[in-house]
Amino acid sequence: MGDDFLSTPTPSLVIRAGRLVCPASGIDSPGAVTVAGDRIASVQRDRSDAPAPPGARVLEFPDGILLPGLIDLHAHPGWGDSKHDVDPDRRLLARGTTTAISQGDAGAANWPLYRDTVIEAARLRIKLAMHLALPGESAPHPSHSKLDDLDVDACARAVRDGGDHVWGIAVTTNVLGTGDIDPREILARGIAAAEAVGCPIIYGSRYHTDWPLEDQLKRLRPGDMVTYCFHDGPDRIVRDGRVLDCVHEARARGVLFDTGHGMKSFVYDVAEAALADGFPPDAISTDIQRRHVGANPPHDLPLVMSKLRAAGMPEADIWPRVTERPAQILGMADEIGRLAPGACADLVVLDWAPSPEPLADCKGVTRAGGQWHTRLVVRGGSIVETTSS
């Protein structure tokens, strides 16, 4: 008993906020969170004036919203080896995301380098969706355009070797990335690798008339995740203002749907029709990549959340899709995505800023704005310097 007491970290940080929000714990009230070491020590709802332990640093955000650290299930964190990657700590962590999936930035041929130089070097918590292709996104050619690179056995071995670093396998059949290869063969190989190791895939659809969405979805399994779900390509999820029956059927079977905003995959008309038809995404993600660097406003998860709010998604539906739900998808619901004693002290404080500036989708169509901005980030109990650029 004495040893347990001596090993318990002393509370070092108290964050008080005008609003604590945690869908996993059913909290939406004023309150305070106390941090000890890298863990949440206590959560006091309805008490934004909760007393602080002696010696603890106290931070006050009377107009802020304190949430579990945000989780982005489709991003490209890295330092230059992938053709898409962005600085994980400056572009994601410092802007409110404390956990992210790298969507295919490394494959079997280079994932150990990615592990050593990105996953284990960044303060951001990163899980890898292993690219089906051997070189991941480091090759100069389109990533799925060489059949010899799509090595099922090598991919499966790399996933096994990756252990907890790897969440699943990244597969896309987008016409721009496949060359002359039959997209059905690409998806079949991705699923074969995933079935060999018992993991899900994150799947980017065809964006072409040559393969109906219904047939693509029929091949996916429970737990597989479709990203770019609000694009307006030929195989979009909405027709005539309604979500397709095959999409509803896929969700009923356990297939997941993720936003994956990116450079061309978020269109208001599609998002608004899906939301009006009772079809919100399972997860909200950025697909942040190099081409977003320098964007104004900066591309981050709070911005994508704000666009979904502008499209008609209620706040109460947005919060769980950047905290509780992606934590469940990652199999980490006891560790992240919740404000609860014993959970990892990954925290973010957001402010809502009404603004006359409109928010644009990927086609330049705008909706009236207002935007969440990041005020504070805590990763594993340590305060992270935020950035506005």
Side-chain angles (χ1 to χ4, degrees):
M1 180 175 176
D3 291 342
D4 289 343
F5 177 77
L6 291 173
S7 66
T8 301
T10 301
S12 58
L13 178 65
V14 176
I15 306 170
R16 298 172 178 154
R19 189 177 176 194
L20 261 60
V21 174
C22 176
S25 303
I27 299 172
D28 191 343
S29 71
V33 172
T34 300
V35 174
D38 66 349
R39 299 285 117 183
I40 294 174
S42 67
V43 179
Q44 295 173 293
R45 64 178 79 190
D46 300 316
R47 287 295 307 277
S48 58
D49 61 346
R57 181 181 180 183
V58 179
L59 299 177
E60 305 268 6
F61 297 93
D63 299 320
I65 306 167
L66 175 56
L67 295 145
L70 306 180
I71 304 170
D72 188 339
L73 292 189
H74 183 158
H76 292 282
W79 281 294
D81 290 313
S82 162
K83 67 184 72 168
H84 301 306
D85 60 16
V86 298
D87 186 315
D89 293 337
R90 183 179 180 194
R91 300 292 176 185
L92 287 105
L93 182 62
R95 304 193 64 82
T97 293
T98 54
T99 300
I101 286 182
S102 161
Q103 198 264 355
D105 289 299
N110 58 350
W111 97 264
L113 176 67
Y114 188 82
R115 175 197 60 206
D116 296 344
T117 61
V118 181
I119 295 176
E120 294 182 352
R123 294 181 69 186
L124 176 73
R125 180 188 291 104
I126 299 170
K127 298 292 184 179
L128 176 64
M130 186 76 67
H131 204 297
L132 174 61
L134 292 170
E137 291 291 352
S138 66
H141 54 267
S143 61
H144 288 81
S145 63
K146 293 191 175 183
L147 202 56
D148 288 347
D149 283 347
L150 310 183
D151 188 321
V152 171
D153 292 337
C155 183
R157 284 195 302 271
V159 173
R160 290 192 194 98
D161 187 39
D164 290 342
H165 289 309
V166 179
W167 170 79
I169 295 171
V171 183
T172 181
T173 59
N174 187 304
V175 65
L176 295 178
T178 59
D180 296 329
I181 298 176
D182 184 347
R184 295 160 186 81
E185 177 65 17
I186 296 171
L187 181 53
R189 291 192 182 197
I191 290 176
E195 289 185 339
V197 292
C199 75
I201 69 168
I202 180 169
Y203 175 65
S205 69
R206 182 66 172 158
Y207 281 65
H208 199 275
T209 58
D210 63 359
W211 193 15
L213 180 62
E214 181 176 11
D215 188 50
Q216 296 177 60
L217 294 178
K218 283 180 177 177
R219 298 167 190 244
L220 300 181
R221 309 156 302 149
D224 290 338
M225 184 164 66
V226 177
T227 191
Y228 316 126
C229 71
F230 292 144
H231 76 79
D232 71 340
D235 54 356
R236 60 190 175 274
I237 68 170
V238 168
R239 286 286 190 280
D240 300 322
R242 300 295 300 275
V243 174
L244 298 173
D245 289 344
C246 64
V247 175
H248 285 296
E249 290 164 2
R251 171 166 280 178
R253 288 192 291 108
V255 175
L256 306 170
F257 291 82
D258 164 60
T259 307
H261 182 298
M263 297 299 299
K264 62 176 184 177
S265 300
F266 180 82
V267 176
Y268 278 124
D269 285 349
V270 177
E272 289 165 349
L275 293 169
D277 200 22
F279 196 91
D282 291 283
I284 298 170
S285 68
T286 60
D287 184 20
I288 187 169
Q289 53 195 267
R290 286 187 195 176
R291 287 182 293 169
H292 286 119
V293 174
N296 186 24
H299 187 69
D300 59 19
L301 195 46
L303 176 65
V304 179
M305 294 158 58
S306 303
K307 291 184 183 184
L308 281 162
R309 187 182 189 274
M313 191 171 180
E315 281 188 7
D317 290 341
I318 292 172
W319 306 131
R321 287 162 174 85
V322 292
T323 58
E324 178 187 23
R325 187 70 181 113
Q328 293 169 343
I329 292 168
L330 287 171
M332 300 182 68
D334 292 335
E335 175 73 359
I336 61 174
R338 63 191 302 113
L339 300 179
C344 186
D346 289 353
L347 307 166
V348 62
V349 176
L350 302 180
D351 274 348
W352 174 255
S355 171
E357 294 299 320
L359 299 175
D361 68 8
C362 293
K363 302 188 88 171
V365 176
T366 61
R367 295 291 183 265
Q371 186 179 339
W372 283 297
H373 296 279
T374 303
R375 291 284 308 281
L376 174 76
V377 181
V378 176
R379 168 72 179 96
S382 298
I383 294 174
V384 175
E385 183 178 355
T386 58
T387 178
S388 59
S389 62

